Amino acid sequence: MSTHPWYKSAIIYQIYPRSFQDTTGDGIGDLRGIINRLDYVASLGITAVWLNPVYPSPNDDNGYDVSDYRGIMLEFGTMADFDELLTGLHARGIKLVMDLVVNHSSDEHRWFQESRKSRDNEYRDYYHWWPAEKGTPPARFSYFDPTGGWTYDETTNAYYLHYFGHKQPDLNWQNPKVREEVKDVMRFWLDKGVDGFRMDAFQFVGKDTTYPELPPTTAANAVAVYGLRPEVHGYLREIKREVMDHYDAFTVAEGAGSTIQDAVDLSSPEREELNMVYHFEIADYAAKKERFDLIGLKALFTKWDQGLAGKGWDSIYLGNHDVPRMVSKYGNDSPEHRVASAKCLNTLLLTMRGTTFTYQGDELGMTNVDWPTIEPYRDLQARNQYKTALERGDDMNEHLSFLNKFSRDNARTPVQWSDKSNAGFTTAEPWIGVNPNYRSINVVAQEADPNSVLHHFRQLTALRKAYPVLVHGGYEPILPEDGRIFAYVRTLDEASLFVAMNWSEETVDCVLPELFVGGRPLVDNYGSANGEEDIDSNEVNYSSLNLQTSSFCLSPWQAVVLQSSTPKP
Ligand code: TEU
């Protein structure tokens, strides 16, 4: 009997409902769409779903601007649909993690509508206000508003603070009433039976309400300057004690502060704050470089693993709704290498220590888009960045190729279900364009192909469930200075697995640690899986692997998981 809490071994699948499946013919995904696809979701072998926000919202930031924390967005359906979804997931043994967006609300939330009415309104202190007679407020950065983090509001002649868009005013967490409201919202969903929360942008909830001058801030240093003020730890402990301790549910905060110590403080069990962190260092690392460097990337994985080992708990992810498609960013999305490299990246995700998160479509190897103009972009961040670049007089072709690589919309194109019109996502005009490669990259095609990214993904989830060493075991990097091979040994008691991946387009030789000479491959992305996901009865053709000597050969983007020659006791 494992003494580990369930969320550590959870295999989480992230659903961005707007782009998952439309059933009402309005071009927008909905809860019924997810309900209709539950058998597919379960077939992936995942054990939990993280649902991006489904609450009522004017959708300035696609649901990250919540106008009612206890409702369901009209386009997505009704509370009855939500209840049916939750029941359907639980019936399949799948947990549900909600997105909790409480650093800010929408400016259309009743609290803000009240707050802006007058300076003595009972909701005034739910938000951060700066009276205009004090002059211009001290500069604050906004992720989405190029004019800055304060917006002037005429009604009361004052500015309100927003670290994100101007329709996303930041809540004032120093006000105990705000914290009570949030705890009540959490209880509302927990009482319905949800199994956890992903707490959006939570590291930013603490603010110094004397509003001092702060160092100049950009996206690059916003976390260091604004993130994780000391009081945030207290807020988290309050939530844990007063809410989470009364349910079998977990919390993960988006963001992990700036240092490993921050992450340890947030996620170590003794401190009673969060159950795990979700840091940005790996996602941000590759975002900055034209072609990232594998040695650096491996060093980051090692740093985080070793920093949290035995102390805290990490999330493992390469994709989400805020970053480009993983196969385009870390792999190689050309027709020749897409399949192998997507499988390779999934091998990493499902063999690292931590709780693993897969973003919808990554189980298919969906890719970035390639849009020639700004018109198809929907994300307010992309549109604002474009406007700013235009005003600055930047080379707009260059800027568009930047957006093609890095925009959040890359991840938000609809899930590619089939080669039918609009990829089977909708019968109407989709809210955001479908990636034209849906004709070849889609679920129907991959179900029929035993060598697809999809079938390989299922092999990996089965593997992770069968080998707890992959979740809990120690991690020892092999060949850390090699620029093409990403390899490590995972060890737990007597169990030992060797993961070796070739992150390049060349054939390379890889060392085979002694323990694995004569060992057995459990998964190989070059082997034929025959559509069979049961690891033990899997008849895989591993003829390409010779494991009899102290080195072996890996083909381009080949990724294998090997079991040691000494059998597990
Ligand atoms: O993202 C917030 C967020 O913190 C990121 O912008 C982060 O700061 C950046 O990637 C650091 O490099 C969350 C949601 O995931 C996003 O979709 C929302 O737009 C945003 O919060 C506002 O709610």
Side-chain angles (χ1 to χ4, degrees):
M1 212 9 222
S2 163
T3 52
H4 293 292
W6 64 265
Y7 57 80
K8 288 197 169 179
S9 52
I11 302 176
I12 301 187
Y13 183 64
Q14 182 189 345
I15 294 185
Y16 193 73
R18 208 173 180 75
S19 301
F20 196 68
Q21 174 73 72
D22 175 28
T23 59
T24 55
D26 62 357
I28 297 172
D30 43 54
L31 296 183
R32 177 66 47 199
I34 307 174
I35 294 168
N36 291 353
R37 294 290 185 183
L38 277 180
D39 287 338
Y40 171 78
V41 171
S43 80
L44 299 175
I46 57 95
T47 66
V49 162
W50 153 25
L51 203 55
N52 284 100
V54 293
Y55 318 104
S57 163
N59 281 310
D60 205 53
D61 187 20
N62 287 354
Y64 282 96
D65 43 333
V66 178
S67 54
D68 172 6
Y69 289 104
R70 291 182 174 77
I72 296 295
M73 192 189 298
L74 209 59
E75 294 98 314
F76 287 177
T78 62
M79 192 58 90
D81 295 333
F82 176 85
D83 293 339
E84 192 180 329
L85 172 61
L86 182 59
T87 308
L89 284 166
H90 283 170
R92 289 165 178 82
I94 300 172
K95 310 261 189 192
L96 180 61
V97 179
M98 299 293 277
D99 217 312
L100 185 70
V101 191
V102 288
N103 170 67
H104 44 269
S105 71
S106 163
D107 65 340
E108 298 183 29
H109 193 289
R110 189 177 56 86
W111 300 334
F112 190 75
Q113 299 287 309
E114 287 296 319
S115 185
R116 79 189 329 173
K117 276 185 186 160
S118 67
R119 290 190 180 186
D120 56 10
N121 187 284
E122 60 172 315
Y123 289 90
R124 186 65 169 181
D125 291 338
Y126 272 45
Y127 296 88
H128 297 272
W129 290 99
W130 176 272
E133 64 273 15
K134 281 172 67 182
T136 313
R140 290 293 184 268
F141 168 75
S142 159
Y143 275 102
F144 301 151
D145 189 340
T147 68
W150 292 101
T151 288
Y152 178 69
D153 195 49
E154 235 170 27
T155 322
T156 57
N157 188 34
Y159 298 84
Y160 64 88
L161 183 65
H162 54 88
Y163 284 174
F164 294 91
H166 72 273
K167 284 180 65 64
Q168 296 166 291
D170 282 28
L171 284 157
N172 175 10
W173 275 71
Q174 267 201 10
N175 180 350
K177 284 190 197 152
V178 167
R179 304 204 296 276
E180 289 310 315
E181 297 272 14
V182 171
K183 286 181 277 179
D184 273 354
V185 166
M186 294 176 86
R187 289 185 196 107
F188 172 85
W189 293 101
L190 289 164
D191 288 340
K192 276 187 169 289
V194 310
D195 305 285
F197 296 102
R198 174 262 188 195
M199 304 174 79
D200 184 68
F202 203 78
Q203 57 192 348
F204 294 122
V205 301
K207 273 136 197 149
D208 182 344
T209 49
T210 64
Y211 309 112
E213 294 289 342
L214 291 176
T217 310
T218 64
N221 67 347
V223 174
V225 182
Y226 301 159
L228 211 59
R229 288 178 43 82
E231 60 271 20
V232 176
H233 297 288
Y235 301 154
L236 287 169
R237 279 197 285 269
E238 184 178 322
I239 286 174
K240 173 92 171 43
R241 197 175 55 239
E242 294 182 30
V243 182
M244 299 310 291
D245 278 353
H246 305 278
Y247 299 86
D248 181 22
F250 82 98
T251 49
V252 50
E254 190 209 19
S258 304
T259 63
I260 294 276
Q261 188 56 48
D262 287 344
V264 169
D265 288 350
L266 287 168
S267 65
S268 81
E270 306 78 63
R271 286 180 54 107
E272 309 252 325
E273 296 186 13
L274 291 167
N275 299 108
M276 70 181 88
V277 292
Y278 185 99
H279 71 82
F280 296 136
E281 206 174 358
I282 286 165
D284 284 354
Y285 175 72
K288 287 182 199 128
K289 303 213 174 187
E290 196 56 22
R291 179 81 180 97
F292 69 92
D293 142 46
L294 183 65
I295 298 175
L297 187 80
K298 290 190 297 186
L300 287 179
F301 272 103
T302 302
K303 170 181 132 179
W304 280 91
D305 185 82
Q306 290 176 356
L308 291 183
K311 297 181 194 151
W313 194 249
D314 204 0
S315 305
I316 303 295
Y317 72 99
L318 292 173
N320 64 34
H321 63 294
D322 287 337
V323 294
R325 282 286 171 186
M326 71 173 189
V327 71
S328 302
K329 183 160 119 184
Y330 305 92
N332 180 330
D333 62 8
S334 71
E336 197 187 345
H337 296 291
R338 185 190 63 86
V339 169
S341 70
K343 290 176 178 176
C344 176
L345 301 177
N346 282 328
T347 304
L348 169 74
L349 286 177
L350 287 149
T351 59
M352 283 294 298
R353 173 155 52 184
T355 297
T356 170
F357 289 71
T358 292
Y359 181 65
Q360 67 183 32
D362 285 348
E363 79 279 20
L364 307 172
M366 278 178 61
T367 70
N368 278 358
V369 288
D370 187 7
W371 288 331
T373 65
I374 188 67
E375 201 285 322
Y377 285 92
R378 294 288 172 267
D379 181 19
L380 89 162
Q381 188 180 46
R383 297 185 83 92
N384 282 333
Q385 281 171 343
Y386 184 86
K387 210 169 128 227
T388 310
L390 197 63
E391 284 162 9
R392 248 192 338 240
D394 288 5
D395 176 335
M396 293 317 283
N397 283 330
E398 242 174 58
H399 187 76
L400 279 164
S401 73
F402 161 83
L403 287 181
N404 275 330
K405 276 204 187 72
F406 299 117
S407 159
R408 308 196 296 181
D409 279 338
N410 280 305
R412 298 178 181 185
T413 63
V415 171
Q416 295 165 201
W417 295 105
S418 71
D419 63 0
K420 301 281 179 314
S421 105
N422 292 317
F425 165 70
T426 180
T427 52
E429 175 82 9
W431 73 275
I432 187 169
V434 173
N435 192 319
N437 64 20
Y438 74 87
R439 290 183 190 85
S440 54
I441 304 173
N442 62 65
V443 172
V444 170
Q446 296 202 20
E447 290 286 11
D449 173 6
N451 291 318
S452 63
V453 182
L454 176 59
H455 282 297
H456 180 258
F457 181 81
R458 290 175 175 146
Q459 277 191 294
L460 289 169
T461 55
L463 180 81
R464 194 167 177 88
K465 288 181 194 162
Y467 291 87
V469 56
L470 293 174
V471 178
H472 304 288
Y475 159 89
E476 182 201 344
I478 304 291
L479 303 172
E481 297 304 326
D482 190 296
R484 294 176 297 184
I485 293 173
F486 195 159
Y488 40 89
V489 175
R490 302 293 316 277
T491 308
L492 184 67
D493 304 326
E494 301 303 310
S496 209
L497 296 181
F498 180 48
V499 180
M501 298 171 279
N502 174 3
W503 284 45
S504 85
E505 287 74 36
E506 293 135 51
T507 298
V508 295
D509 271 333
C510 179
V511 335
L512 188 58
E514 207 184 319
L515 192 57
F516 298 91
V517 174
R520 180 170 87 103
L522 295 174
V523 175
D524 174 1
N525 65 344
Y526 269 61
S528 163
N530 300 326
E532 176 57 73
E533 278 84 41
D534 176 355
I535 285 299
D536 287 324
S537 67
N538 203 356
E539 286 182 25
V540 184
N541 168 15
Y542 295 117
S543 57
S544 70
L545 284 180
N546 174 0
L547 302 175
Q548 299 314 314
T549 61
S550 60
S551 79
F552 69 117
C553 190
L554 286 171
S555 299
W557 293 102
Q558 187 166 14
V560 299
V561 183
L562 309 179
Q563 191 176 36
S564 67
S565 40
T566 352
K568 221 166 46 162

